[in-house]
Amino acid sequence: MPDITNTGFLTAISQQSAGVSIELDSVTKRYPGQPAPAVENFSMNIRPGELIIFVGPSGCGKTTTMKMINRIIEPTSGSIRIDGKDVLSLDPNQLRRHIGYVIQQIGLFPHRTIAENIGTVPKMLGWSKGKVAERVDELLRTVQLDPAVFANRYPRQLSGGQQQRAGVARALAANPPVMLMDEPFGATDPITREKLQAEFLRLQAELGKTIIFVTHDFEEAIRLGDRIAVMSERSQIEQFDTPANILAAPANEYVSSFIGQGAAIKRLTLIPVTEARLLPAAAEGTPSMPIDGSLRDALDLIVLTGSASINVVDPDGQPMGSLDHASISAVLGAGSLPVGGRP
Ligand code: ADP
Ligand code: MG
């Protein structure tokens, strides 16, 4: 039975531009016949418009947790609230139409064209043909697939990266306030992946949705996340914090091992050059970088050019000052960069 109240609530949250909150409260999932729960006592509060990353090993319960949020599966115990409302009180089909879901392995319908794939949910929501077509066109452009080229193709006629763009477009179709993205860029090569990440960040800056994004790739987590949940077995949260805080102070050995080598270097990626104290501009001919770059870019340039210092220039190419190894190191705190044979 369609529930008028539920539909009203879901329509209302869909019209909120700033995303909605998601609260998980002691959520546990036991699959029948499994000795241990897949997800155990998982609690997390996600603020409206936050982009949360789940990272953790295969089998730790990331997909299960996402599927409980859109009620593809039901928790054994605990509760999940979207914008304060228990998801179990909402009609599951209606709920799913209001949560964008990009599944692992893309999951486009193989026998439907790209346009039909993207229009699936709007069509189910009863939009007119014209409105669906208009939306499909707009979304294809948003994910940078030319509608004239791609709308009438079938998924197999697209590359992995193009299919993933189409998958993201399909999840965005009904403008859902919540997006669940399960390794959405998993099947792409590093260059395509970087492009997709950049587009995705641009899109999110515009749309401000509440997003849970699963990845295996810690670099991707750092680049995209407002906060990262580092998970271990049975979805235990080892640390849940901003990328900068996790890199600066991993909670334990487990988190450190996830970060891998070069935590200091990764931190530099997050810090703009403007955070460093600039030295007077160096002589003409010194290698230079733009003022909107990161300290990682600065360090790369020093290493690649072998120059003792580099100039930072404004958009007109005028030197604003210079940086050397020590001034970069100083931003991280004394001794943070592996120089002079530190272990
Ligand atoms: P992840 O997405 O982090 O790789 P999953 O949520 O897919 O992890 O799986 C968590 C655990 O639950 C794994 O041990 C997996 O084998 C088990 N599991 C997942 N789906 C089912 C299912 N339908 N029936 C039984 N066990 C399952
Ligand atoms: Mg998974």
Side-chain angles (χ1 to χ4, degrees):
M1 279 281 284
D3 178 333
I4 302 294
T5 328
N6 287 347
T7 311
F9 169 76
L10 289 163
T11 307
I13 62 171
S14 289
Q15 282 155 1
Q16 274 170 242
S17 54
V20 295
S21 65
I22 303 174
E23 296 154 278
L24 296 107
D25 211 343
S26 303
V27 173
T28 293
K29 174 65 187 180
R30 279 175 192 282
Y31 286 108
Q34 297 293 310
V39 171
E40 190 171 27
N41 264 321
F42 187 92
S43 297
M44 176 175 280
N45 287 337
I46 300 173
R47 298 187 279 262
E50 263 194 308
L51 205 173
I52 298 298
I53 310 275
F54 288 176
V55 283
S58 182
C60 77
K62 304 179 296 294
T63 298
T64 301
T65 303
M66 301 247 251
K67 285 182 173 168
M68 289 191 285
I69 294 173
N70 64 5
R71 285 192 67 185
I72 291 177
I73 58 180
E74 308 231 326
T76 311
S77 60
S79 67
I80 299 173
R81 288 181 298 279
I82 291 184
D83 201 28
K85 189 132 179 154
D86 194 322
V87 294
L88 293 181
S89 73
L90 301 170
D91 175 73
N93 289 319
Q94 287 289 342
L95 178 70
R96 259 166 251 145
R97 287 169 202 172
H98 289 83
I99 296 181
Y101 187 33
V102 184
I103 61 172
Q104 232 170 327
Q105 311 311 334
I106 308 165
L108 295 172
F109 305 116
H111 303 299
R112 291 190 201 164
T113 63
I114 297 304
E116 286 164 350
N117 265 282
I118 296 173
T120 304
V121 172
K123 205 173 148 196
M124 284 194 293
L125 290 171
W127 295 17
S128 73
K129 262 195 169 146
K131 198 175 160 205
V132 174
E134 210 173 281
R135 179 69 176 152
V136 167
D137 211 74
E138 175 189 33
L139 281 163
L140 280 168
R141 288 179 207 286
T142 302
V143 298
Q144 313 210 335
L145 293 174
D146 181 355
V149 177
F150 293 100
N152 297 314
R153 288 200 192 174
Y154 287 88
R156 65 171 185 281
Q157 298 169 313
L158 272 60
S159 73
Q162 289 164 346
Q163 286 188 37
Q164 292 199 300
R165 282 162 205 245
V168 171
R170 186 177 62 176
L172 284 167
N175 198 20
V178 175
M179 296 272 285
L180 306 176
M181 307 182 76
D182 203 345
E183 303 200 31
F185 307 146
T188 50
D189 61 86
I191 292 170
T192 307
R193 198 175 174 105
E194 216 165 278
K195 269 174 72 182
L196 285 171
Q197 289 168 350
E199 280 166 28
F200 177 66
L201 279 176
R202 178 183 52 75
L203 206 60
Q204 171 61 359
E206 223 172 86
L207 302 178
K209 298 189 179 297
T210 307
I211 300 175
I212 301 179
F213 186 111
V214 170
T215 181
H216 262 97
D217 176 354
F218 201 78
E219 301 274 352
E220 181 164 81
I222 292 168
R223 179 145 188 227
L224 300 182
D226 292 321
R227 288 193 287 168
I228 302 172
V230 182
M231 288 156 61
S232 60
E233 288 275 280
R234 295 185 220 162
S235 74
Q236 184 173 316
I237 300 173
E238 299 290 338
Q239 190 165 13
F240 182 39
D241 210 332
T242 60
N245 287 346
I246 291 178
L247 288 170
N252 53 38
E253 275 299 305
Y254 181 88
V255 176
S256 300
S257 73
F258 239 94
I259 296 170
Q261 296 288 308
I265 305 282
K266 288 173 189 165
R267 270 177 75 196
L268 289 177
T269 310
L270 298 170
I271 307 175
V273 285
T274 48
E275 291 285 304
R277 186 193 295 267
L278 294 182
L279 306 164
E284 216 174 309
T286 302
S288 64
M289 66 167 290
I291 188 77
D292 62 358
S294 72
L295 286 177
R296 170 69 186 267
D297 300 329
L299 186 66
D300 280 350
L301 192 61
I302 287 175
V303 172
L304 288 172
T305 60
S307 176
S309 65
I310 54 158
N311 276 331
V312 176
V313 299
D314 69 13
D316 297 326
Q318 291 305 309
M320 324 257 315
S322 70
L323 283 172
D324 60 13
H325 196 285
S327 50
I328 296 171
S329 206
V331 177
L332 291 177
S336 292
L337 271 180
V339 288
R342 280 175 77 249

